[in-house]
Amino acid sequence: MSKSIAELVLQQGSWGELGDIAGEIRRVVFIEEQAVPIEEEWDGRDGDCLHFLAWRGTTPLGTARLLPDGHVGRVAVLAEARGLGIGVALMHASIEAARSHGHAHVELAAQTHALPFYERLGFVAFGDEFLDAGIPHRNMRLELGN
């Protein structure tokens, strides 16, 4: 694809500000594509999180959230926008937000097919593989240092 990431704009805010759009992206990616049960996707924690949206022009293409404890989750990029660096941009924004909130490390539960993606960002897997919403995952951590 010839589209560049240069056009990408990242927005961060509360669930009240970004939830309608972030929720729609997550619905498409997790509930429709990956068949995550609706009651598992909507875990009641969104109101406590910092949310991120990736936009190209007026089109939202991806989302992520940072929990108060420094976990990153619900990283989702729409199928038509994958491979354009949007996930990397969302992760960099999440990591920088965690750093600015004083977290010593960032953790996440990665779907096992995405382990190489997170490893390229410096995350290291730990613990055993486990199922979340019927999908194999591993926990991963990135030490932030100073």
Side-chain angles (χ1 to χ4, degrees):
M1 291 186 188
S2 63
K3 292 181 181 177
S4 81
I5 191 166
E7 311 163 29
L8 198 66
V9 174
L10 291 178
Q11 179 183 13
Q12 70 179 37
S14 69
W15 186 247
E17 295 166 318
L18 306 182
D20 288 348
I21 296 168
E24 180 59 15
I25 293 169
R26 286 167 43 187
R27 185 190 64 75
V28 169
V29 172
F30 297 126
I31 296 170
E32 286 185 14
E33 285 182 29
Q34 298 182 356
V36 171
I38 195 165
E39 63 276 5
E40 290 189 43
E41 177 56 31
W42 308 121
D43 61 3
R45 300 185 73 188
D46 286 312
D48 298 328
C49 297
L50 179 62
H51 295 269
F52 302 88
L53 283 175
W55 298 81
R56 174 170 284 116
T58 59
T59 305
L61 299 174
T63 188
R65 74 180 187 184
L66 177 66
L67 285 88
D69 65 0
H71 278 75
V72 174
R74 304 304 200 265
V75 180
V77 176
L78 295 175
E80 63 269 20
R82 292 181 192 145
L84 301 176
I86 293 167
V88 170
L90 286 164
M91 286 305 301
H92 283 304
S94 301
I95 292 164
E96 286 311 307
R99 183 177 278 121
S100 73
H101 284 91
H103 295 290
H105 60 268
V106 177
E107 291 189 10
L108 53 82
Q111 293 181 11
T112 55
H113 73 83
L115 287 170
F117 168 79
Y118 293 110
E119 288 168 346
R120 286 191 297 274
L121 292 166
F123 283 82
V124 176
F126 67 93
D128 295 328
E129 185 176 296
F130 61 94
L131 290 179
D132 185 5
I135 301 168
H137 283 70
R138 292 271 317 271
N139 285 317
M140 301 189 83
R141 178 181 295 126
L142 173 68
E143 296 296 336
L144 297 179
N146 295 346

